[in-house]
Amino acid sequence: GLSRSTLGQGLDYPHAMRSEVQDTLHQVIVEDPYRWLETNDSTTIRWVNDQQQVTWDYQLNELKTVEVLKQVTRNSNIRFSPLIKRGKKYYFRIRYRGKTSVQIHRKSPYYPNSTLIFDANQIKDRSNEVITVRDFDISKDERYGWFTVSRSGTDELEIRIKDIKRDVLFSEAITGIRFSNVLWARNGFYYYNQGIGEILYHALRTPHLSDTKVTIANSSETVTNEFYVSSDETHLVINTLEQSEDSTAKKMVYARDLTQSDSPFELLMTYPDTVNYAFIDRVNGYYYFKTNAHAKNGKIVRFDPSTRELKQVVPEFAPIEKVNIISNNLICLYFNRGAYTIAIFDLEGYLIDKIDFDVGHIVTGLDGDNHDTETIYNVRSAYFPNTLFKIDFEDHSVEPVAETGLSYDFNLFKTKYMQYLSKDGTIVPMYLTYRKDIDLASGENPVLLNGYGGFGVSTLPEFSFGSLAFMQQGGVLATPQIRVGGEFGESWHKDGIHLNKQNSFDDFIAAAEFLIQIKVTNPSRIAINGASNGGLLMGAAMTQRPDLFQAVVAEMGLFDMIRYEQYAFASLKIYENEYGTVEDSLQFQNLLSYSPLHQLK
């Protein structure tokens, strides 16, 4: 490795010694000179500490943004987000400034002076451990709560249960959970255990080793994709994918009546594997679904089990991001060309009201069930922190209920939605957020280009105080929606996985080239940043086009794509589905072609 930066900043990077380690895969010799860094011995620890010291010294002596950060965060002591309402109480997530852990609070009617329900620090096993609450839900009688938690950033989750009424946290932890729904149903909840590939039912106050597996008769070749529980907890709905003898795949929707003990599953519908039917809720005997059948942006249909009729309720419009049924209203969240719209329909599909939002403002929330009379949604943008609004369905009013304190004028900023051409001619959208008074075509604007690029995850201009401080000093925040994300459905995702992975890197590189072409900036003024899969994106962009970027921050990245499968996190099938495997010679060549460690010069 180089002992000194070539960027002219005079940073003394610690030397990384090279070893003579080689592997031979598919008759190709693969060098791995830094494998010694995979061991946690004293040499590695010393090297890591030396690296960290370079960063700390730079932050202490060179960074000019500290005072700006203090100003923009001065009144922002808390960050919170509403999640659910039970009865007349709200349950929400909150993190106080300077604290690493999240607490769950309860308040009636809302905020402040809330009651602590769950503190992630309660389950710490080690002093330096960071516990993150990924999700939670409260039973309808408000007696119990489940909480999925992550330890020190791992994707391996555990479910913890608390008796809220008695303020007792159960000692038992349900492990082996990743990316699973956990859905209340009567005296327990359903969840999916990736380790065994099964839906299980956990009855409260019973050992989790006795949890019941959910099986559908005559479905030994069936893979479960999704499962749902109706908001009144009377019906379990399961979507399955079944491989037939002629290698064709078909999907099915099954439903079970939970009010009848040992009730069999009823087959509601069968459809091609290119189509999806996502269950919304069961109301008045009808099953409501969001589907892309003959509607790539999505439409809403309802199924009548007595007549087997499938009827369109809300036709296709813009892409539907979320649908819920609250107070006998269909609440639809649409996303079109960088802007959100909330549309409210009755159960027959007649439009009652709609709310439009500015480009770059992200809308989430709209949770609840058909027994609620109101819902809350959250609005935020790259320069506008969380603000909560309540929709009251009894008087059709909308009003703000809580916001993060600000010490700056958010009206000084704007977000622009743009499109550019990638290397193969694909049109890719991108957000630019900046201070309104800068010259966007000066050719000298500092740009922070963010990316993630994986697993169908959509990328939006999220709020952070660091980005805000950067923009306050004249920086431009660029957020491209590259292929492999979820912005335009599964086809957009698949265009950037496996042998198509290079498309996502090309899209990201093309975003920088476009900003240079339209004279927003130049290569000496572009920094790029991404984490996890975004770290891989950074590593690929840096090694493929080092001439294009002045600074690269790659956090927690996958940099060795030849050996990534040997680590515990990669045991999940989703990683092989995303990247491929070195066991296949063609996929191996593809992985080697962009693996940042092996392309580093």
Side-chain angles (χ1 to χ4, degrees):
L2 296 175
S3 61
R4 179 171 286 272
S5 166
T6 58
L7 298 180
Q9 295 172 318
L11 297 180
D12 277 320
Y13 290 117
H15 177 72
M17 70 176 184
R18 294 175 64 92
S19 61
E20 300 300 322
V21 177
Q22 292 181 338
D23 292 320
T24 301
L25 298 167
H26 303 286
Q27 300 181 326
V28 176
I29 296 175
V30 180
E31 294 186 0
D32 194 0
Y34 304 112
R35 192 172 296 179
W36 60 274
L37 281 167
E38 295 179 14
T39 60
N40 199 30
D41 61 13
S42 59
T43 305
T44 300
I45 292 172
R46 185 167 58 250
W47 185 84
V48 169
N49 289 339
D50 289 345
Q51 287 278 0
Q52 289 178 327
Q53 193 63 51
V54 172
T55 301
W56 294 331
D57 289 346
Y58 180 77
Q59 289 176 333
L60 181 65
N61 299 316
E62 301 294 336
L63 282 185
K64 311 299 182 187
T65 59
V66 175
E67 288 305 315
V68 180
L69 276 169
K70 287 180 180 177
Q71 287 298 315
V72 299
T73 62
R74 189 173 65 238
N75 296 330
S76 306
N77 289 316
I78 59 167
R79 298 186 191 185
F80 57 87
S81 55
L83 292 179
I84 58 173
K85 180 174 180 283
R86 289 288 177 265
K88 295 183 178 180
K89 301 183 185 68
Y90 292 99
Y91 293 80
F92 56 96
R93 185 194 316 262
I94 184 169
R95 184 174 71 207
Y96 290 90
R97 192 173 71 183
K99 302 291 185 182
T100 58
S101 61
V102 169
Q103 297 176 345
I104 305 300
H105 281 239
R106 177 181 66 202
K107 179 67 180 79
S108 176
Y110 192 64
Y111 186 84
N113 300 324
S114 54
T115 301
L116 176 65
I117 297 300
F118 179 77
D119 187 343
N121 281 320
Q122 290 175 295
I123 61 172
K124 264 191 175 184
D125 293 332
R126 298 181 298 275
S127 61
N128 62 344
E129 189 174 41
V130 177
I131 307 293
T132 304
V133 181
R134 292 287 182 88
D135 206 354
F136 76 95
D137 200 3
I138 309 297
S139 61
K140 288 196 185 306
D141 61 5
E142 300 184 72
R143 173 71 186 269
Y144 297 98
W146 61 254
F147 309 84
T148 55
V149 298
S150 165
R151 294 181 183 272
S152 299
T154 177
D155 285 335
E156 189 78 35
L157 306 181
E158 61 186 64
I159 302 173
R160 301 301 297 258
I161 306 164
K162 184 171 184 178
D163 185 328
I164 296 172
K165 186 176 181 180
R166 295 172 55 231
D167 194 27
V168 174
L169 179 67
F170 295 172
S171 59
E172 188 176 45
I174 301 176
T175 58
I177 311 301
R178 285 174 182 256
F179 315 116
S180 173
N181 286 338
V182 183
L183 301 175
W184 286 112
R186 309 175 99 59
N187 298 312
F189 52 77
Y190 291 94
Y191 67 96
Y192 187 76
N193 185 308
Q194 275 82 1
I196 62 174
E198 294 273 0
I199 299 173
L200 297 159
Y201 180 74
H202 177 76
L204 292 171
R205 298 189 173 279
T206 64
H208 86 268
L209 292 177
S210 63
D211 289 354
T212 308
K213 293 181 181 179
V214 176
T215 57
I216 301 172
N218 305 319
S219 61
S220 58
E221 300 300 317
T222 295
V223 176
T224 299
N225 286 347
E226 298 124 1
F227 66 97
Y228 314 85
V229 174
S230 61
S231 63
D232 60 7
E233 299 183 8
T234 63
H235 286 76
L236 172 66
V237 176
I238 296 180
N239 286 21
T240 65
L241 174 67
E242 186 171 297
Q243 203 76 29
S244 61
E245 292 181 358
D246 60 359
S247 297
T248 60
K250 59 181 179 180
K251 292 179 179 176
M252 286 151 289
V253 180
Y254 291 91
R256 170 185 277 176
D257 186 347
L258 300 178
T259 65
Q260 307 294 324
S261 60
D262 298 324
S263 172
F265 277 99
E266 176 189 5
L267 177 62
L268 300 186
M269 64 179 79
T270 302
Y271 51 95
D273 69 338
T274 55
V275 174
N276 289 309
Y277 279 85
F279 178 69
I280 302 169
D281 206 351
R282 185 180 184 275
V283 180
N284 301 326
Y286 296 116
Y287 292 88
Y288 285 82
F289 295 90
K290 183 187 83 168
T291 179
N292 63 348
H294 308 292
K296 67 177 183 178
N297 291 319
K299 64 182 179 182
I300 299 171
V301 298
R302 74 181 182 202
F303 178 78
D304 185 341
S306 62
T307 64
R308 317 298 293 180
E309 179 190 15
L310 191 64
K311 179 183 178 182
Q312 176 176 281
V313 178
V314 178
E316 178 182 16
F317 172 53
I320 305 178
E321 194 157 293
K322 185 171 185 175
V323 186
N324 207 350
I325 295 180
I326 302 173
S327 192
N328 287 316
N329 293 286
L330 282 158
I331 317 302
C332 300
L333 181 62
Y334 291 97
F335 181 70
N336 189 33
R337 296 186 61 82
Y340 279 94
T341 296
I342 296 173
I344 303 173
F345 302 88
D346 68 14
L347 292 179
E348 296 298 323
Y350 293 101
L351 180 65
I352 299 172
D353 203 355
K354 73 182 183 76
I355 308 169
D356 295 313
F357 298 89
D358 291 339
V359 167
H361 280 62
I362 302 167
V363 181
T364 56
L366 300 173
D367 294 319
D369 60 39
N370 206 32
H371 299 96
D372 290 324
T373 59
E374 62 188 53
T375 188
I376 282 181
Y377 63 88
N378 181 23
V379 183
R380 68 188 189 278
S381 75
Y383 52 85
F384 188 76
N386 293 330
T387 299
L388 312 182
F389 295 85
K390 180 180 75 173
I391 302 175
D392 190 315
F393 294 105
E394 292 185 333
D395 60 13
H396 300 283
S397 63
V398 178
E399 61 176 338
V401 291
E403 60 188 9
T404 303
L406 302 181
S407 57
Y408 63 93
D409 184 0
F410 67 86
N411 290 305
L412 298 176
F413 303 91
K414 71 174 294 184
T415 295
K416 191 174 184 178
Y417 183 76
M418 313 179 76
Q419 293 180 321
Y420 64 93
L421 292 180
S422 189
K423 183 178 181 179
D424 63 357
T426 299
I427 298 174
V428 182
M430 176 166 57
Y431 294 94
L432 290 188
T433 308
Y434 51 92
R435 218 175 56 210
K436 292 177 181 178
D437 62 346
I438 70 167
D439 179 4
L440 198 59
S442 69
E444 292 292 332
N445 293 297
V447 167
L448 180 58
L449 183 62
N450 291 310
Y452 178 73
F455 301 96
V457 175
S458 299
T459 305
L460 293 163
E462 293 284 355
F463 179 84
S464 81
F465 288 115
S467 297
L468 181 64
F470 175 69
M471 291 187 293
Q472 279 203 327
Q473 297 172 95
V476 176
L477 187 68
T479 312
Q481 297 186 310
I482 64 177
R483 278 174 288 183
V484 91
E487 291 84 359
F488 301 106
E490 185 57 19
S491 62
W492 194 253
H493 172 219
K494 287 184 176 178
D495 278 351
I497 66 173
H498 260 226
L499 301 180
N500 295 327
K501 189 64 182 171
Q502 185 60 40
N503 286 337
S504 65
F505 308 143
D506 289 342
D507 290 355
F508 189 77
I509 289 167
E513 292 176 326
F514 174 70
L515 293 174
I516 295 167
Q517 176 190 339
I518 63 173
K519 297 194 175 353
V520 170
T521 189
N522 64 75
S524 70
R525 304 287 275 166
I526 302 177
I528 60 175
N529 176 222
S532 190
N533 185 85
L536 165 62
L537 176 64
M538 298 304 109
M542 177 184 71
T543 52
Q544 292 181 20
R545 289 296 305 274
D547 59 303
L548 206 51
F549 312 111
Q550 178 72 1
V552 180
V553 182
E555 305 176 47
M556 303 176 293
L558 287 82
F559 303 120
D560 184 351
M561 298 308 295
I562 303 304
R563 286 171 59 79
Y564 88 92
E565 294 174 89
Q566 301 188 27
Y567 295 91
F569 74 90
S571 62
L572 290 179
K573 194 72 175 173
I574 58 171
Y575 288 93
E576 183 181 330
N577 292 341
E578 190 80 6
Y579 304 127
T581 174
V582 296
E583 299 299 321
D584 179 277
S585 61
L586 183 60
Q587 294 176 26
F588 159 71
Q589 291 286 354
N590 184 60
L591 288 164
L592 186 61
S593 72
Y594 68 78
S595 178
L597 175 65
H598 302 91
Q599 297 304 318
L600 193 63
K601 298 180 177 60

